[in-house]
């Protein structure tokens, strides 16, 4: 992780010396601070998994310094992509904190300039790719890949915004197919498929031959989000590092979707009256319905079924190295507590 | 123009059938309405100039149906890019109207979802390029071009936001080099260089050989923005179709930059006290300073000097076709009243 972090400084420095823009001192300072605030502070799982996956695909051979740098640069591009989406998402959701600090747009003197900063974060990705990959045979595939995944993420975000954004607070839209579609596009492609696809491209593969791998990873991403939703309510805040607010925020969470599928008329009434309210009494009532419906057991059941299905799809893969990549992803998240 | 407009419907329909996203009925409707509201309602000068430039570069040969479609598709990509920047710019500037209707984010039920719609507009560009240009030898150059120009535009926007965004309302930053740099990056690259660069790529050229052409177009873009600033104050609202508010908005306009360079102490005081205020008395006082300083004559002088310089750089170009492209741009804007 520390060697991965050290690549960040190099990429940042390249961006601050980009000859396509004539920087003033103020703009250098602005970008420097904006990057440090938004890019490296996450868990870096997505970024590091490019390096890990590429190592496995190379079948145990140590990476050269250059290979490590390139795989890390692609990993950082994913972290940049995530930063871009989070900065804008926090504006749209009117959020207060992110990663234990105020959201960027709430920092004094930033405000809505944050929207353009999000755009800049996004624009840094092709700058990094051009500088380091322009001569690679897979350069155009990298551009296509990032473009497609960004499009899918933004489309998932749209779906989320237009189906779940308040206005009427209508629980009747919260159904499993809706939930799955949002999660698949908004989260799974960029968090799970993109890192592996980057590693495959670096390894000289044609992504058209990895449609099954994509589907497995998207499924894993969905499983990951279900866990996230479960832990938001039933996880230990001490372990997760934050207190969940999905109920207060009227989120289209897996839990509420499952509850609505199973609830009787009374319970539906309780949910309708209390979901999306921020007073503790309402939250407690919702959680009681979840417990009465035994959603903890429903989750355990989902978790083991998912796991078994994923393992069997993974073992149907022809390449042992690819199997190993997929299993390493799965084992990082299976039964996680945070 | 009507044949150019007809291409829009085809591109929109392709986007609504993009297999990379599993659209719901609601999301199809949303995108459809969002595109119609934001993309085709402008003057379309930038888009159409791709087609015009390409025709000239082909030296009088009629375009085939396919060539017309491709040149128009690139033109529309520029219109999409512009729509993306305008949607986000209006949010950041807290603007009210755009092209004679409420800004998109002010439309009921849209609100900050508009930020993600801006992102989607941007994401449509690589979708269009991939669908229609993936097999062309210049595909990767097109991607690089759009990426670079978007980066420059977003960087210019940052410069504008961090130097001119209120807070303290400090006129001392409004100097000619600052002004020129903002305009060059924020407007000139995408409005003037990008259309010609698209046409050159379609014509099989290597953009590395057209650095002079780029510089000429960026200069022309600067001249265009100076006119825009001039007309905002001294143009006829009946002809322009809107009433200028640059003074009220504390804009870093060419006029205030020129005024500050020429003003005596009293006039500086008047500007400092009245620039950026929305009451009509303040606006009138600012305009009086402009008139006392004879900024109309300063502008005429700038206009003819610029014109002469541009013509002489254009005539130094080796290719007659390229000269003709540049002159056609220049003559579209020289002494324009709107
Ligand atoms: Mg959010
Ligand atoms: Mg959100
Ligand atoms: Mg969550
Ligand atoms: Mg504006
Ligand atoms: Mg603005
Ligand atoms: Mg103007």
């Amino acid at each position: 992780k520390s060697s991965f972090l050290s690549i960040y400084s190099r990429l940042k420095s390249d961006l601050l010396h980009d000859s396509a823009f004539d920087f003033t001192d103020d703009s250098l300072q602005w970008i420097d601070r904006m990057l440090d605030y938004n890019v490296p502070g996450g868990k870096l799982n997505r970024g590091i998994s490019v390096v890990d996956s590429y190592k496995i695909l190379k079948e145990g051979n140590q990476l050269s310094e250059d290979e490590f740098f390139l795989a890390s640069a692609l990993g950082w591009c994913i972290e940049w992509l995530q930063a871009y989406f989070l900065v804008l998402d926090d504006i749209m959701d009117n959020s207060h904190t992110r990663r234990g600090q105020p959201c960027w747009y709430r920092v004094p003197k930033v405000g809505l300039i944050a929207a353009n900063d999000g755009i800049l974060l996004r624009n840094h990705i092709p700058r990094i790719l051009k500088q380091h990959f322009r001569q690679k045979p897979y350069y155009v595939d990298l551009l296509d890949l990032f473009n497609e995944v960004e499009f899918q993420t933004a489309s998932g975000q749209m779906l989320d915004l237009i189906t779940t954004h308040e206005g009427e607070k209508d629980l009747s839209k919260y159904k499993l197919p809706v939930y799955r579609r949002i999660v698949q596009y908004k989260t799974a492609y960029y968090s799970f498929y993109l890192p592996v696809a980057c590693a495959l491209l670096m390894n000289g593969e044609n992504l058209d031959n990895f449609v099954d791998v994509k589907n497995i990873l998207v499924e894993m991403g969905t499983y990951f989000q279900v866990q996230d939703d479960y832990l938001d309510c039933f996880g230990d805040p001490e372990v997760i590092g934050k207190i969940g607010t999905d109920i207060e925020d009227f989120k289209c969470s897996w839990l509420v979707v499952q509850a609505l599928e199973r609830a009787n008329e009374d319970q539906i009434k309780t949910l309708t009256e209390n979901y999306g309210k921020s007073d503790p009494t309402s939250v407690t009532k919702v959680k009681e319905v979840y417990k009465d419906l035994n959603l903890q057991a429903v989750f355990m059941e989902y978790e083991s079924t998912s796991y078994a299905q994923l393992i069997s799809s993974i073992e149907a893969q022809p390449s042992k190295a690819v199997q190993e990549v997929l299993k390493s992803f799965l084992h990082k998240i299976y039964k996680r507590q945070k």
Side-chain angles (χ1 to χ4, degrees), chain A residues 86 89-95 98 157 160 186 251:
Chain A
L86 298 182
D89 182 68
D90 287 339
I91 297 175
M92 291 185 273
D93 293 345
N94 193 29
S95 298
R98 163 75 66 190
Q157 175 75 323
D160 188 15
K186 199 178 81 158
K251 284 279 168 70

Side-chain angles (χ1 to χ4, degrees), chain A residues 147-296:
Chain A
N147 282 330
E148 178 158 309
V149 170
E150 183 188 336
F151 170 70
Q152 292 171 315
T153 310
S155 298
Q157 175 75 323
M158 168 190 65
L159 204 55
D160 188 15
L161 291 164
I162 69 179
T163 35
T164 78
H165 229 226
E166 7 222 320
E168 39 264 52
K169 293 212 175 166
D170 175 6
L171 279 178
S172 70
K173 296 181 218 145
Y174 286 10
K175 297 205 184 305
L176 199 57
V178 174
Y179 174 82
R180 286 184 60 91
R181 193 165 4 206
I182 292 175
V183 167
Q184 174 183 348
Y185 287 103
K186 199 178 81 158
T187 305
Y189 278 104
Y190 94 86
S191 304
F192 284 77
Y193 173 59
L194 182 55
V196 174
C198 283
L200 287 166
L201 286 179
M202 266 194 76
N203 204 39
E205 308 289 351
N206 179 344
L207 294 179
D208 294 341
N209 304 328
F210 292 86
V211 177
D212 292 347
V213 170
K214 184 198 284 197
N215 292 332
I216 292 170
L217 286 160
V218 166
E219 206 47 49
M220 240 187 269
T222 308
Y223 165 60
F224 178 82
Q225 185 61 45
V226 171
Q227 289 178 311
D228 194 82
D229 292 351
Y230 178 80
L231 293 171
D232 189 271
C233 175
F234 293 114
D236 179 352
E238 294 278 314
V239 180
I240 315 175
K242 62 178 178 190
I243 297 162
T245 57
D246 284 357
I247 294 171
E248 291 91 325
D249 297 345
F250 199 71
K251 284 279 168 70
C252 182
S253 158
W254 184 83
L255 292 170
V256 75
V257 168
Q258 294 299 331
L260 289 163
E261 260 188 21
R262 289 169 170 75
N264 62 29
E265 263 183 53
D266 267 12
Q267 291 167 322
I268 297 262
K269 192 159 171 283
T270 308
L271 291 173
T272 309
E273 284 168 2
N274 295 288
Y275 201 70
K277 300 217 168 118
S278 55
D279 64 292
T281 333
S282 292
V283 175
T284 307
K285 282 186 189 153
V286 171
K287 288 200 182 185
E288 265 161 23
V289 174
Y290 288 177
K291 279 172 197 153
D292 293 343
L293 292 169
N294 237 323
L295 291 191
Q296 280 143 302

Side-chain angles (χ1 to χ4, degrees), chain A residues 66-67 70 129-142 201-202:
Chain A
D66 188 49
E67 288 172 326
L70 291 175
L129 295 179
K130 188 171 180 204
Q131 181 166 16
H132 299 290
F133 297 90
R134 185 66 166 91
Q135 303 311 323
K136 303 289 179 195
Y138 54 87
Y139 177 61
V140 71
D141 297 306
L142 269 181
L201 286 179
M202 266 194 76

Side-chain angles (χ1 to χ4, degrees), chain A residues 1-8 10-11 47-52 54-55 58 61-76 133 138 202:
Chain A
K1 181 163 174 178
S2 75
S3 46
F4 181 73
L5 262 168
S6 74
I7 307 296
Y8 167 75
R10 185 165 152 199
L11 296 173
I48 291 171
S49 68
V50 178
V51 184
D52 291 347
Y54 183 58
K55 270 187 196 150
K58 298 264 300 175
N61 300 322
Q62 266 292 111
L63 301 191
S64 70
E65 205 180 309
D66 188 49
E67 288 172 326
F68 177 77
F69 174 77
L70 291 175
S72 301
L74 292 181
W76 278 110
F133 297 90
Y138 54 87
M202 266 194 76

Side-chain angles (χ1 to χ4, degrees), chain A residues 291-307:
Chain A
K291 279 172 197 153
D292 293 343
L293 292 169
N294 237 323
L295 291 191
Q296 280 143 302
V298 176
F299 173 74
M300 303 300 168
E301 171 64 24
Y302 168 84
E303 181 156 56
S304 49
T305 316
S306 265
Y307 181 79

